[in-house]
Amino acid sequence: LVNVCEQADLDGRLIYYLKQNLVTTVGGTRACTVRVAGLGVSGIMAEISNPDNQNLKVSLVGGRVLLNGRQISEREADLKHNDILIFGFACCFRVVYPSEGD
């Protein structure tokens, strides 16, 4: 996950590696692997699984989580290279598969 920011000097400065065979939690609590803060951020908001470094999946736990501008409505959604995840109203990340390049 790479952060997306309107300010060019801050864009892409935060990088979170999603480890294989581990579930990464995203939200506002200390228990989260990726801890975010801002408007609309609550406890644990989502879980991202990486079973094989080829197929990432995001599962909604609670709160406002958007995938490419749409609220995640299914229990689980596939993540593709360059997908955009928004947590709450202010935390935006781009999904990057290193094998895909840019």
Side-chain angles (χ1 to χ4, degrees), residues 32-69:
C32 291
T33 314
V34 176
R35 191 171 174 198
V36 294
L39 186 62
V41 172
S42 58
I44 297 175
M45 300 179 74
E47 295 177 337
I48 302 172
S49 61
N50 177 12
D52 57 9
N53 283 333
Q54 301 293 322
N55 301 293
L56 297 177
K57 295 185 182 298
V58 62
S59 300
L60 178 66
V61 176
R64 182 178 192 265
V65 180
L66 305 181
L67 173 59
N68 297 324

Side-chain angles (χ1 to χ4, degrees), residues 1-3 14-18 26 34 48 85 93-95:
L1 293 179
V2 178
N3 76 305
L14 298 175
I15 300 172
Y16 296 97
Y17 294 94
L18 305 174
V26 183
V34 176
I48 302 172
L85 283 170
F93 294 92
R94 183 168 44 98
V95 177

